[in-house]
Amino acid sequence: MIKSIIFDFDGTLVDTAPGLILTANKIFKKYNKDLIDSQQGFLIASNGITAFLKLRFTDEEIGNNSLFDEFFKQYTNDCCHDVNFFDGFDDLLKTLKIKGILLGIVTNKPRIFTNKIADSLKINQLFDLVICPDDGYEPKPSSEMLTKALGKMNLMPSEVLYVGDGERDIIAANRINIGSVFASFGYVNPNDLPDVWGYDYCIKNPLDLLKLIN
């Protein structure tokens, strides 16, 4: 019996691409680099700050300059820009709470951004736990954060589903035998090969989760 559903954040639960794209283009404009469009940003939004910087800067430029810190600081101001749930999640989360399903977030996104976005969407009361790497854990594909989540909720892996849009999410769940759910509506790059990731289930929209727990 499924007692809990845990979500990745970016590209699974929340569309955070607009804020990342806004910040990236501010940085690119400052350094006279070509701007990116929404589609370019959407495809890499799950991979974080470094992925955006690599679109326009060499590894040497990124390593020798404070570009990462500059992006981080700017994104702190921009992270809530045009951010929203993927369609269907607002009602789904409320339905799951009514059903008594414990809800969690396990994300590689730093705590400062996760908290700001959660506050802006007014969803803190819906989640029983939120775990980020800077709480002191290895980021995914390590399963350390998911293992911590199981302990906090006192649940067995067979009682939990983990939903994510990236290979790192599937790997982390599979390592500890949590049911892995691929969110195919998320930030999936055309070059990705999700069919070889080994996920247990694939959902095309958030409401498909109701079928899994029912």
Side-chain angles (χ1 to χ4, degrees):
M1 179 180 177
I2 298 301
K3 296 182 179 180
S4 173
I5 299 180
I6 304 174
F7 299 92
D8 176 41
F9 200 62
D10 301 81
T12 299
L13 184 65
V14 179
D15 182 8
T16 57
L20 287 161
I21 294 166
L22 176 64
T23 295
N25 279 332
K26 287 179 179 180
I27 301 296
F28 297 155
K29 183 177 181 180
K30 176 180 177 180
Y31 291 96
N32 298 313
K33 304 290 185 179
D34 292 337
L35 305 186
I36 59 172
D37 59 28
S38 296
Q39 182 64 17
Q40 288 174 290
F42 186 90
L43 294 178
I44 63 168
S46 274
N47 297 321
I49 292 174
T50 301
F52 280 90
L53 292 175
K54 284 186 174 182
L55 289 176
R56 295 292 183 264
F57 298 98
T58 66
D59 289 342
E60 184 177 4
E61 287 173 323
I62 295 171
N64 293 340
N65 297 304
S66 57
L67 290 169
F68 186 95
D69 292 341
E70 187 174 353
F71 195 116
F72 192 103
K73 182 178 180 180
Q74 181 60 52
Y75 184 56
T76 303
N77 297 323
D78 296 337
C79 64
C80 296
H81 169 73
D82 206 18
V83 70
N84 215 329
F85 286 120
F86 282 97
D87 288 344
F89 264 119
D90 196 7
D91 290 336
L92 173 67
L93 295 175
K94 294 172 184 175
T95 299
L96 292 173
K97 290 298 287 187
I98 291 172
K99 287 178 173 290
I101 301 293
L102 298 173
L103 300 179
I105 294 171
V106 167
T107 175
N108 281 359
K109 199 173 193 69
R111 169 69 65 176
I112 184 173
F113 305 137
T114 304
N115 283 354
K116 289 191 71 169
I117 293 169
D119 286 344
S120 73
L121 294 175
K122 298 179 173 60
I123 59 173
N124 291 314
Q125 73 281 1
L126 293 175
F127 289 91
D128 299 280
L129 61 82
V130 178
I131 301 178
C132 305
D134 44 343
D135 296 333
Y137 307 107
E138 288 291 322
K140 297 171 293 182
S142 167
S143 60
E144 187 175 1
M145 290 189 290
L146 285 174
T147 299
K148 184 65 175 181
L150 290 178
K152 284 189 171 185
M153 293 187 292
N154 195 28
L155 294 176
M156 300 294 292
S158 60
E159 298 173 314
V160 179
L161 295 176
Y162 183 59
V163 187
D165 66 316
E167 184 177 16
R168 66 178 70 86
D169 304 315
I170 305 304
I171 291 173
N174 287 349
R175 280 177 170 168
I176 55 172
N177 297 315
I178 285 177
S180 54
V181 183
F182 169 50
S184 63
F185 51 82
Y187 300 148
V188 184
N189 192 294
N191 296 322
D192 290 339
L193 299 171
D195 287 342
V196 303
W197 293 351
Y199 56 79
D200 294 312
Y201 310 100
C202 176
I203 59 171
K204 295 181 179 179
N205 65 73
L207 293 178
D208 285 345
L209 284 171
L210 289 177
K211 300 174 186 177
L212 293 182
I213 66 169
N214 289 334

